[in-house]
Amino acid sequence: WLLTRPSSGRRDLALVVVLSTFAIGPLLYPGVLANSDQPTHLFWLSELDKLFGQGVFYSRWAPDQAYGWGGPAFNYYSPLAWYVAEAFHLAGMGLVEAMKATLAIGIIAGMTGMYLFARTLVGKSGAIVSAIIFGYFPYLVADISIRGELAESLAICLIPATLWSFHKLVAEKKSVFAAPAALLSGLLLLGHNVTALFAFPFLVAYLGFMILKGSPANGRGRALRTSLQQCGYGILGLGLGAGISAFYWLPAIMERGLIWGGLPPRGKANPWGFQAYYMPGEWIYSLHIGDLYAGNGHHHPTGIYFLVGSVAALALIAAFRRGWLRTAFPFFTLLFPALVFLQTEGSAPFWESVPLVAFIQYPWRLLDLVGICLAVIIGGAFSLLANRLEKLSAGWQRRLGVAMAVGVTCLIVISTSMLPLQPQWDTREIDHDDREHNLAAAADMRLKGQFLPISVQPSSPQPKPQGQPELSAKGGLTTLSSTANGFDNKAWLIGLQKQSQVVFDVLYFPGWQVYVDDQRVPTTAQKQTGQVSAPVPAGKHRVELRFEDTPLRRWSDYLSAFSLVPLAVLLVVPVRRRFRLARGRARARTTVAAGGLPDFSE
C-alpha cells in the first residue's frame, strides 16, 4: 500500500524504517554475542556507567582498565557510542539491551541517511533501493550482528547523513544546512576514529567533485565566485565539525606517542596488522551466498554485490552516454573499483608508504565506502528502470509496476544478506549489569595492552591484588587517614620516617599530579611497574593525587566550547527567520481578511 500510493517523502522514509526491522531482528535475541568484541564493549559501557555514578560525566581515564590499574582509554577511544548506550541505560534499559538499542538506532539512522542522500541523486524510488543496499550490505550486517561492533557500526551509519548534509550545503548552496553538516561531521569524528580516518577523505573528495562539476560553464568570473562560495560552505561545515569535536580528537592525535598505539606492538602477543587482512580474490568473484559470513564475520565474499554493481554502472553509462559526466555517478563508479583494489594485496605499497593508513588495521574496512558507492550506483540503475516503467504505463499501473520492482529488489537483498546470518549468542543466566562480571569477561590481552601507557610493557599488568595498598614507600610509611572524591582526586594524611618515593596504586599518564601539603611535586612513572611516583619528605604530610587536564587537553576543551557559539548561531538564525516569515504571513492573512492590502515590508 505504501508503495502503490503516490510518492511522498515522509511515506518513503516510513517505509525505509519498516524495512530496517529485518536487520534489527537478530538483536532481539537474548544474551551477548559470543566469540566477538561485545564483552569488551560491555566492559567500556560498564566503566562509563561507573563514572556517571560518581558524577564524572566526561573522563579521559578508565579506572578499571588494565586489570584495575587504570588507563587512558577514554582519551583515545571514540566516545559517541558509549554515551548513546548510556542514555538508553539511564532510561531504564540493562547494559546489554542499551548496547543493542544503540546498534538498532544506528541501522535506522544509516538507512534513513542513505535514503536522504540518494534521493538528491537518483530520485525517490531509487533512493529506497539505495537505503536497502546500504543497510543490508554484508559488511555492515556482520559488523552489527556477528561482531557486535558498537562504535564502528554507529560511525558507518553516520556517513550517509553526513554526505547528504554537505551535499545540500555545498552542491545546492543551502546555508540552512551549515549547522547539520557541522554537527554530523563532528559526531562522525566522535563515532569511531578509524572510520573517520578514511570517511573524511572520502567526504572531501566528494565535495571537491561536486564543486568542480557544479561550476557554471558560462563566464569565468561567475564560475570562480560559485566555486569560492561552495568552498567556503564546505570549509565552514568541516571546520565547525572539527572544532566541536576537538576536545576528543586533538589530544588523541597529539598524545598518540604516550601509549603503545591502538594495540600492543605486532608480534606473538598481537597478530593484528593490515598485512594479514587483505581481501582474498574469492571475496571479489565468489557468488556463494551461503559463505557471506564465514569465519565468524571475518570474511565477506561480496562478489554478488560487486557483480550487480558493475552491471548497474555499465547500465548508467549506456543510458546517460555523454550526459553521464554531468551526474554524480562518475565519482562513485570510478571510486568503486579503486576501493576494491585498495583491499587487495596488490595495493601493499599504498598501505606501507602512505602516512596513517596503517592505523586502519584491516584493509577490508574500506568495504564501508564500497557499500555506499554500490548503494548509489544500484539505486541509480533502479531509478532508470522506474523511469522506463513510467513511459510504458500510467496511473495505478505505473505505481504498481514500480512497487513490484522495489518489493522484489528488497526481498532479494534482505534474504541474501540475512538468511546466511548465524549469530552466536551467549544466553547463560548471567547478570550483565554486574560490573564484576564485566571486568572478568573483558580481562584479556586487549584490555591489558590496548591504549596502555608506554611506561608499562603490554604483557606486564596482572590483576590488581585484593587489598592492594593505595600508596607505599620504603621509608616507613604510615597512613593516618584518607579521603576520596572519586577516582581522580584522593588525599591521605601520612607519616614518613625518612624522605622516600611514594608509589600510588595507579598507572602513570600525563595528567596525574601529586601535591604535598598543597604544593606540586615532580610526578613520574615508577621504573619497575609504571605506577605514579612522587618524592615526599620525612615527617607528617597531606598527600593528594589528582588527575588534571594538561594544557593541550584544556585548550582542546576551549576550542570545542568556542566552536559551539557559531554552531548555536547557525541553528538559531534559520529558526528565527522561519518564525519571522510565518508571523509575516499570518499578519498578511489578517490584513486581507480585514479588506486591506498585505504589508510585505518584512
Side-chain angles (χ1 to χ4, degrees):
W1 174 81
L2 286 170
L3 288 167
T4 55
R5 298 271 297 177
S7 184
S8 166
R10 292 181 180 179
R11 263 198 309 275
D12 291 346
L13 274 176
L15 177 61
V16 169
V17 173
V18 170
L19 292 172
S20 70
T21 56
F22 297 98
I24 296 172
L27 300 176
L28 301 179
Y29 284 95
V32 178
L33 282 166
N35 301 321
S36 71
D37 290 339
Q38 269 208 349
T40 306
H41 297 311
L42 188 59
F43 165 79
W44 295 127
L45 180 56
S46 173
E47 189 79 337
L48 180 66
D49 186 57
K50 172 188 176 181
L51 293 171
F52 265 65
Q54 295 180 355
V56 180
F57 301 115
Y58 182 73
S59 173
R60 301 181 185 275
W61 187 261
D64 296 312
Q65 186 190 341
Y67 287 146
W69 292 100
F74 291 140
N75 192 54
Y76 297 95
Y77 206 106
S78 305
L80 178 63
W82 315 122
Y83 280 85
V84 175
E86 179 64 12
F88 283 115
H89 180 58
L90 293 175
M93 291 186 177
L95 294 177
V96 176
E97 289 71 24
M99 288 198 304
K100 292 180 178 180
T102 303
L103 292 170
I105 287 294
I107 295 171
I108 296 173
M111 292 181 64
T112 54
M114 192 70 233
Y115 169 80
L116 293 171
F117 176 56
R119 189 176 66 178
T120 64
L121 305 178
V122 304
K124 292 180 179 180
S125 57
I128 296 175
V129 174
S130 295
I132 293 297
I133 295 294
F134 174 81
Y136 291 90
F137 193 65
Y139 182 82
L140 181 59
V141 171
D143 223 30
I144 292 173
S145 298
I146 293 182
R147 290 192 296 275
E149 286 284 354
L150 202 64
E152 182 181 10
S153 60
L154 184 60
I156 294 170
C157 291
L158 285 172
I159 298 175
T162 307
L163 284 168
W164 168 70
S165 62
F166 273 95
H167 180 94
K168 290 289 188 179
L169 176 65
V170 175
E172 300 183 12
K173 295 181 290 185
K174 294 183 177 180
S175 59
V176 70
F177 282 90
L183 189 59
L184 285 168
S185 60
L187 291 177
L188 182 56
L189 282 167
L190 296 174
H192 190 240
N193 45 14
V194 175
T195 301
L197 183 61
F198 56 80
F200 265 77
F202 179 81
L203 173 62
V204 172
Y206 176 71
L207 295 180
F209 172 80
M210 296 304 294
I211 290 172
L212 292 175
K213 184 181 75 69
S215 299
N218 54 335
R220 185 173 300 176
R222 182 185 174 193
L224 180 61
R225 286 194 301 272
T226 300
S227 297
L228 289 176
Q229 184 182 16
Q230 291 176 314
C231 285
Y233 281 145
I235 292 172
L236 174 65
L238 290 172
L240 274 182
I244 60 178
S245 57
F247 70 92
Y248 158 70
W249 65 262
L250 193 54
I253 292 176
M254 300 301 294
E255 297 180 340
R256 183 165 49 90
L258 301 178
I259 58 171
W260 286 107
L263 290 168
R266 192 179 180 204
K268 292 182 179 180
N270 171 32
W272 293 284
F274 65 85
Q275 298 90 344
Y277 288 91
Y278 290 115
M279 181 190 292
E282 57 266 25
W283 286 22
I284 300 175
Y285 57 76
S286 173
L287 302 180
H288 296 292
I289 297 174
D291 295 333
L292 280 176
Y293 308 108
N296 193 32
H298 290 294
H299 302 283
H300 313 85
T302 49
I304 188 169
Y305 289 87
F306 292 168
L307 176 62
V308 173
S310 300
V311 172
L314 293 175
L316 289 171
I317 295 172
F320 283 100
R321 296 183 177 86
R322 294 181 180 178
W324 178 72
L325 293 174
R326 294 193 293 271
T327 68
F329 297 122
F331 177 82
F332 299 98
T333 302
L334 298 176
L335 199 60
F336 159 47
L339 289 170
V340 173
F341 170 73
L342 287 178
Q343 299 171 65
T344 63
E345 196 168 358
S347 64
F350 169 82
W351 294 96
E352 294 170 357
S353 59
V354 177
L356 297 180
V357 296
F359 283 91
I360 294 176
Q361 296 177 331
Y362 317 126
W364 38 256
R365 276 182 168 166
L366 296 180
L367 283 171
D368 301 344
L369 304 182
V370 172
I372 293 175
C373 292
L374 290 177
V376 173
I377 293 169
I378 296 173
F382 183 89
S383 184
L384 284 177
L385 174 64
N387 290 335
R388 295 291 187 270
L389 290 173
E390 288 182 4
K391 294 179 180 179
L392 293 175
S393 58
W396 68 270
Q397 294 175 330
R398 173 183 61 79
R399 293 196 296 272
L400 180 60
V402 173
M404 291 179 63
V406 172
V408 170
T409 303
C410 293
L411 178 63
I412 294 173
V413 173
I414 293 174
S415 60
T416 55
S417 294
M418 300 304 293
L419 288 180
L421 183 65
Q422 295 181 352
Q424 304 295 320
W425 297 98
D426 182 353
T427 56
R428 291 176 296 171
E429 292 296 328
I430 296 175
D431 181 8
H432 293 293
D433 287 342
D434 180 11
R435 292 195 63 262
E436 295 302 322
H437 161 73
N438 297 333
L439 287 170
D444 58 7
M445 185 277 299
R446 289 172 61 84
L447 291 183
K448 283 197 297 181
Q450 203 171 25
F451 311 113
L452 201 65
I454 57 174
S455 58
V456 184
Q457 290 298 318
S459 59
S460 62
Q462 298 299 321
K464 183 187 289 188
Q466 293 290 332
Q468 169 74 21
E470 293 182 308
L471 66 170
S472 59
K474 296 181 179 179
L477 183 147
T478 303
T479 302
L480 303 177
S481 63
S482 64
T483 58
N485 296 317
F487 75 94
D488 57 351
N489 191 342
K490 298 181 180 180
W492 300 264
L493 183 62
I494 66 170
L496 277 175
Q497 295 179 2
K498 61 180 180 178
Q499 180 172 336
S500 301
Q501 285 287 125
V502 174
V503 179
F504 298 81
D505 69 333
V506 62
L507 296 183
Y508 175 79
F509 186 73
W512 283 115
Q513 180 61 51
V514 176
Y515 293 81
V516 178
D517 298 329
D518 296 326
Q519 299 296 318
R520 291 170 63 99
V521 297
T523 306
T524 57
Q526 209 265 349
K527 288 185 179 180
Q528 288 77 19
T529 64
Q531 294 171 244
V532 174
S533 174
V536 179
K540 186 182 296 185
H541 301 281
R542 184 178 185 273
V543 177
E544 188 174 5
L545 177 66
R546 304 178 193 167
F547 189 72
E548 302 174 337
D549 276 341
T550 61
L552 172 65
R553 297 171 205 160
R554 191 177 304 115
W555 282 104
S556 300
D557 293 342
Y558 292 157
L559 178 57
S560 293
F562 293 151
S563 299
L564 291 175
V565 176
L567 179 66
V569 172
L570 291 173
L571 285 170
V572 170
V573 168
V575 174
R576 186 169 180 269
R577 185 182 301 166
R578 292 188 64 177
F579 176 75
R580 289 182 61 187
L581 288 174
R583 188 175 60 181
R585 292 193 188 99
R587 186 182 301 170
R589 286 194 296 267
T590 303
T591 304
V592 171
L597 294 175
D599 180 12
F600 295 105
S601 59
E602 292 193 14

